[in-house]
Amino acid sequence: MLTMDDIIRDGHPSLREVAKEVQLPASDEDIEILASMLEYVKNSQNAEKVKKYGLRPGIGLAAPQINVLKRMIAIHLNDEKGETHSYALFNPKVASHSVEKAYLTSGEGCLSVDESIPGFVPRYARVTVKGFDIEGKEVKLRLKGLLSIVFQHEIDHLNGIMFYDHINKKDPFSVPENAIGIE
Ligand SMILES: CNC(=O)c1cccc(C)c1Nc1nc(N2CCN(c3ccccc3Cl)CC2)nc(N2CSC[C@H]2C(=O)NC)n1
């Protein structure tokens, strides 16, 4: 199983690389890696595993964060309605997006960034993500809210972009006009 020892930290050059497309059908090795990433995110939301293995909680993880420069992301979250959203995708991309922007009112955290970096991270409010699931089936997801934010954060990692790159340097808590704050 993956632990924090497998997660590279800000300053590691791999976090600034552009990850390569996964050749489909995916190899057993790539399927194994993607499954282990989803397992990490799920484990990181389980109190006793966090305690036992010293995990940092997360909703998403991208392959470059475990020093694998391939286009793979894993996301797992239970929303306020108690609905579970679990995705492990190869070659995800933002196929289209809203003009409207949104941001987390508490700012963003990242498993590869040990310190808290204050500021709002403006992102698209709604995105359509296309990719391939772990069985190789094409998926098309229309996302909004926290899920939309997390997918954009993880897809940024595949392009060597860190969340703080989006924070306004002059005024970290400024946001675009009409941007939606997500609690
Ligand atoms: C600087 N302020 C902050 O970090 C911040 C501060 C307050 C609130 C938020 C909402 C903040 N922001 C933020 N909090 C998270 N978590 C909240 C706690 N949670 C979690 C924790 C325990 C069990 C289960 C779970 Cl679910 C895990 C995830 N996650 C992200 N991000 C940014 S998009 C990718 C995603 C990610 O997985 N990061 C590791 N941002």
Side-chain angles (χ1 to χ4, degrees):
M1 64 172 272
L2 292 176
T3 68
M4 288 304 288
D5 294 343
D6 301 296
I7 294 178
I8 60 174
R9 308 303 157 90
D10 205 9
H12 190 301
S14 294
L15 288 171
R16 291 303 188 174
E17 296 287 328
V18 175
K20 291 190 175 18
E21 290 251 318
V22 173
Q23 292 310 311
L24 299 178
S27 64
D28 291 348
E29 183 194 16
D30 287 345
I31 290 169
E32 182 53 43
I33 292 168
L34 185 52
S36 73
M37 289 165 55
L38 184 60
E39 182 198 37
Y40 176 89
V41 180
K42 287 179 177 175
N43 287 345
S44 81
Q45 295 174 25
N46 174 298
E48 65 252 29
K49 289 187 177 163
V50 163
K51 195 156 177 255
K52 187 172 179 185
Y53 301 109
L55 309 179
R56 262 193 66 197
I59 305 174
L61 185 67
Q65 293 182 275
I66 56 169
N67 208 14
V68 171
L69 292 179
K70 295 183 178 180
R71 303 184 82 81
M72 309 195 270
I73 64 171
I75 286 165
H76 185 83
L77 87 96
N78 299 304
D79 68 18
E80 56 291 337
K81 294 181 211 132
E83 207 177 317
T84 298
H85 304 271
S86 205
Y87 299 97
L89 297 179
F90 293 118
N91 304 330
K93 67 180 181 193
V94 174
S96 63
H97 60 77
S98 60
V99 170
E100 202 171 29
K101 297 285 180 70
Y103 62 98
L104 294 188
T105 55
S106 301
E108 292 190 14
C110 179
L111 296 173
S112 296
V113 179
D114 293 330
E115 73 283 353
S116 170
I117 300 180
F120 292 146
V121 181
R123 296 190 183 278
Y124 301 121
R126 291 174 302 285
V127 289
T128 298
V129 168
K130 285 184 179 176
F132 296 85
D133 69 15
I134 205 156
E135 281 86 33
K137 195 159 120 303
E138 187 163 17
V139 297
K140 180 174 176 180
L141 306 166
R142 291 177 183 76
L143 306 165
K144 63 183 182 346
L146 175 59
L147 213 45
S148 167
I149 299 290
V150 178
F151 266 85
Q152 291 175 74
H153 177 115
E154 303 312 332
I155 291 171
D156 267 356
H157 275 304
L158 306 182
N159 298 317
I161 298 166
M162 301 294 283
F163 73 89
Y164 57 78
D165 297 342
H166 299 288
I167 297 175
N168 184 308
K169 305 225 179 350
K170 287 190 198 60
D171 175 4
F173 292 94
S174 73
V175 284
E177 213 173 323
N178 307 326
I180 302 167
I182 297 169
E183 299 298 316

